[in-house]
Amino acid sequence: MAIEKILVPDLGGAESVDVIEIAVAEGDRVEQEQSLVVLESDKATMDVPSTLAGVVKKVLVKEGDSVGEGSAIVELEVDESTGEKADAVESESKSKPTKKEQPAPTGVKQGPEKQKGKKSPVATTPEPQLQSIEVPDTGGDQAVEVIELSVKVGDQVQEGDALVVLESDKATMEVPAPAAGEITELKVVEGDKVSTGDVIAMISGVATQAAPPSKPAPSSTDEKQEPAQPKKPAQTESAPAASEAAAATGGEAHAGPAVRQLARELGVDLSKVPATGPRQRVLKDDVHAYVKNAFQNPQAGTAGGASIPVVPPVDFSKFGEIDQIKMSKIQKLTAANMQRAWINMPLVTQFDDADITDLEAFRKSLKAEGEKRGVKVTPVPFLIRAVATAIEQNPEFNRSLGADGEHFVQKKYIHIGVAVDTPRGLVVPVVRDADKKGIWQLSQELTELAQKARDGKLAPAEMQGACFTISSLGAAGGTGFTPIVNTPEVGILGVSRAEIRPVWNGSEFVPRQMLPLSLSYDHRAINGGDAGRFMTTLVALIGDIRRLLM
Ligand code: CAO
């Protein structure tokens, strides 16, 4: 019996990738093409199939290892029958073009129709024309599913922009625009099955030069295209209720093929599974924990839980003219997260007013210095600092419910999320260690984070890790509202518009500037008494900011 090492195949340019799943154990029998491990680069997940049949003698890597092309991953005792000494890399390269053999770097076919029978359609005219975009080499014969349309008809795209996302049982991959132009037609819808060479869209733009005739044409008469670009792990912006869990899951769960397979087998919607893996990837253990939790807490999960009556769809066009407006990714995430928070949480909102007359006088006195420093100081940085101190003094608000239903997680850091209204929807950047920062620094950070949020430039890490959120509608107006807690946080402070009101001081009414506050909390983690104490502390701190120093 020969012992063969199975090696990491051509990684398509990636130098080092992470092992994210080990799909076999020592002693397992594997067939040719059976998945051994799953690798992940910053762009894609990919299975490494066994190039030989046999029994696994040794697994040479573990989850979390970094490997490169040619690294040995498994030692295999190869079957006598199939055991001709096959070089694993060589064998792999048969099914995947090496860089030299790599076919024409374009998914574009010239003219309105695919030019069958021609090996070398060359277009050099720079004039705009209609081109078809085809599914590039998907690396196999099997049809793959269109799981996402990233563009719509009429969109202007740049070369390299993702047009659609395809998913096989081994990987997700983006099909990039081969050239800049306008999408004039989409030939597929989500859920369609497509194969290499199928037309997915038409683009009108400047023609790109097609492959030179000297390139090999691996498949029959058609030119073959560059393999589809792997899809980047989802980088989603967060919404008010969209903290790390949301960014990790939402409609775009980040998971390897084996985890997706497991989720399919168990009937689990991956988008609902809290992810604990690196880069917020859903792991097999996460799926198992989710199912376990669903059985133990039927109301919390899908398995056997009380179902929520569905609002029947209504054809509004029967009553008048309507438009269909596509929701942005953030809007969809927000909707899902609000729904999740609302269903899961017994929420209470408590109201109070803080006297900010002195705070405002002090804040205005900072104006000239602020201008010199290039920093605008609004009331919100004071609120961030006051909330951080109130949390320090009332640590119940710095908890989350443990996933096992047996513990609270008590956090020893104080990071505050601030809801920011942007054209794409609501996002919640996080000010870290707010209890340790002064007003200048908090003002500076808030301004920068809010600007990044509006520009859509927040990194996922900048929206993660909040302990508590502030939602300020002070500039917009209103006398009060009931914010929804951004689970798994347990509290959120709503801030409404400050106004001067007559306040009784014991002997007379005096004009004071009053700031309406609404504190929503998760009643599973916070008692009314806790909330009362928190609010009293907060109102006192805001009313006399000298207390922030104590
Ligand atoms: N009462 C009265 N005026 C207020 C105020 C309040 N509570 N809070 C802020 N203002 C004033 C500011 O002082 C500023 O006035 P000047 O320009 O005259 O100094 C003005 O309103 C505009 O403030 P701003 O919005 O530029 O900055 P901010 O620090 O107050 O708020 C931010 C920053 C990011 C919180 C805010 O821009 C924002 O996006 N708020 C929306 C949050 C939201 O939508 N929440 C709902 C989420 S759903 O739960």
Side-chain angles (χ1 to χ4, degrees):
M1 290 253 176
I3 303 285
E4 291 286 340
K5 283 188 177 154
I6 307 293
L7 311 181
V8 173
D10 177 6
L11 293 172
E15 283 188 355
S16 155
V17 294
D18 294 344
V19 177
I20 63 163
E21 274 173 28
I22 308 284
V24 291
E26 283 168 20
D28 279 1
R29 197 189 144 72
V30 296
E31 300 304 331
Q32 246 176 322
E33 292 302 312
Q34 185 175 331
S35 176
L36 299 174
V37 300
V38 182
L39 306 178
E40 183 185 68
S41 69
D42 60 344
K43 294 196 178 132
T45 58
M46 62 203 100
D47 269 12
V48 177
S50 183
T51 48
L52 298 166
V55 174
V56 176
K57 293 307 288 177
K58 213 167 187 184
V59 179
L60 302 168
V61 290
K62 56 184 187 324
E63 279 180 21
D65 280 359
S66 289
V67 294
E69 183 179 335
S71 303
I73 44 176
V74 159
E75 244 174 46
L76 206 65
E77 190 173 87
V78 180
D79 288 357
E80 295 273 290
S81 50
T82 60
E84 75 271 25
K85 269 203 142 200
D87 178 312
V89 176
E90 236 173 54
S91 167
E92 171 64 21
S93 68
K94 279 177 201 153
S95 59
K96 196 174 177 183
T98 63
K99 275 187 192 147
K100 272 192 175 171
E101 290 168 344
Q102 213 141 58
T106 171
V108 177
K109 293 288 172 191
Q110 304 300 322
E113 286 298 326
K114 195 164 124 184
Q115 300 194 9
K116 285 199 189 267
K118 288 189 186 172
K119 271 194 177 180
S120 55
V122 177
T124 49
T125 164
E127 264 149 44
Q129 59 177 266
L130 204 58
Q131 305 169 340
S132 61
I133 301 171
E134 301 181 3
V135 176
D137 182 7
T138 57
D141 294 330
Q142 279 192 336
V144 294
E145 189 175 337
V146 178
I147 60 163
E148 200 180 293
L149 293 178
S150 314
V151 290
K152 56 184 185 321
V153 172
D155 278 359
Q156 292 290 340
V157 295
Q158 296 304 317
E159 183 180 355
D161 281 358
L163 303 177
V164 303
V165 181
L166 308 177
E167 187 183 52
S168 70
D169 56 352
K170 296 204 175 125
T172 54
M173 61 202 91
E174 281 177 359
V175 178
E182 183 185 325
I183 301 298
T184 57
E185 195 180 349
L186 281 168
K187 302 265 191 190
V188 291
V189 293
E190 282 178 17
D192 276 358
K193 297 270 191 199
V194 292
S195 303
T196 305
D198 286 351
V199 177
I200 49 173
M202 302 299 291
I203 185 169
S204 128
V206 177
T208 54
Q209 186 150 342
S214 58
K215 296 259 181 184
S219 66
S220 65
T221 53
D222 280 331
E223 282 194 353
K224 203 171 172 195
Q225 298 120 29
E226 189 174 44
Q229 294 302 306
K231 181 174 168 53
K232 276 191 185 175
Q235 285 209 340
T236 47
E237 284 177 284
S238 178
S243 59
E244 62 268 54
T249 58
E252 299 202 7
H254 177 28
V259 174
R260 288 182 185 278
Q261 171 77 19
L262 176 68
R264 271 197 289 272
E265 281 166 14
L266 297 175
V268 169
D269 177 354
L270 266 185
S271 69
K272 297 200 166 76
V273 179
T276 64
R279 284 181 246 167
Q280 303 187 331
R281 188 184 332 104
V282 181
L283 307 177
K284 275 187 179 171
D285 281 351
D286 297 335
V287 177
H288 288 304
Y290 177 81
V291 172
K292 192 171 160 200
N293 185 43
F295 275 107
Q296 286 171 346
N297 308 294
Q299 283 83 353
T302 48
S307 64
I308 296 171
V310 173
V311 179
V314 175
D315 178 5
F316 297 101
S317 65
K318 283 197 306 200
F319 311 114
E321 198 186 340
I322 59 160
D323 263 342
Q324 298 270 15
I325 299 166
K326 199 158 167 52
M327 291 167 82
S328 70
K329 210 184 278 180
I330 295 179
Q331 285 167 329
K332 283 194 258 180
L333 266 176
T334 304
N337 294 318
M338 289 296 171
Q339 176 76 70
R340 184 171 53 194
W342 187 257
I343 291 168
N344 275 300
M345 188 189 308
L347 182 133
V348 181
T349 306
Q350 159 157 356
F351 302 88
D352 208 339
D353 294 331
D355 186 335
I356 57 165
T357 314
D358 297 340
L359 185 157
E360 278 298 89
F362 177 60
R363 184 176 74 86
K364 283 180 184 139
S365 75
L366 296 175
K367 202 170 171 210
E369 193 181 343
E371 275 164 15
K372 267 194 222 140
R373 289 173 178 255
V375 179
K376 183 181 173 192
V377 182
T378 66
V380 177
F382 288 94
L383 299 180
I384 296 174
R385 184 57 209 270
V387 161
T389 306
I391 288 176
E392 209 173 15
Q393 295 176 19
N394 298 269
E396 303 83 14
F397 275 84
N398 209 7
R399 289 178 179 167
S400 282
L401 288 160
D404 60 3
E406 306 271 337
H407 301 93
F408 288 122
V409 177
Q410 180 70 56
K411 292 154 219 172
K412 296 187 176 170
Y413 51 85
I414 303 181
H415 303 334
I416 305 292
V418 181
V420 179
D421 193 19
T422 81
R424 290 176 207 81
L426 284 160
V427 290
V428 187
V430 179
V431 177
R432 311 198 101 73
D433 298 314
D435 54 321
K436 300 189 173 69
K437 292 177 179 166
I439 298 301
W440 291 120
Q441 192 177 350
L442 291 171
S443 301
Q444 178 90 37
E445 284 188 25
L446 178 67
T447 308
E448 282 168 13
L449 287 170
Q451 194 51 50
K452 271 187 171 181
R454 292 186 185 113
D455 295 343
K457 292 199 171 134
L458 283 173
E462 290 174 307
M463 295 179 276
Q464 293 166 10
C467 307
F468 184 101
T469 294
I470 296 176
S471 175
S472 171
L473 290 178
T479 53
F481 65 106
T482 55
I484 298 177
V485 175
N486 193 3
T487 48
E489 296 159 34
V490 294
I492 183 168
L493 183 74
V495 182
S496 298
R497 191 191 245 333
E499 61 176 8
I500 294 174
R501 286 194 220 138
V503 174
W504 185 252
N505 70 1
S507 51
E508 57 182 343
F509 281 106
V510 288
R512 304 294 293 179
Q513 192 155 9
M514 303 303 289
L515 180 70
L517 301 175
S518 41
L519 173 72
S520 290
Y521 57 92
D522 182 344
H523 209 340
R524 293 172 303 174
I526 306 282
N527 293 329
D530 302 328
R533 281 184 289 276
F534 180 91
M535 191 62 126
T536 306
T537 311
L538 184 64
V539 166
L541 288 167
I542 295 171
D544 184 353
I545 52 172
R546 291 171 304 179
R547 288 172 182 273
L548 291 172
L549 300 171
M550 297 165 79

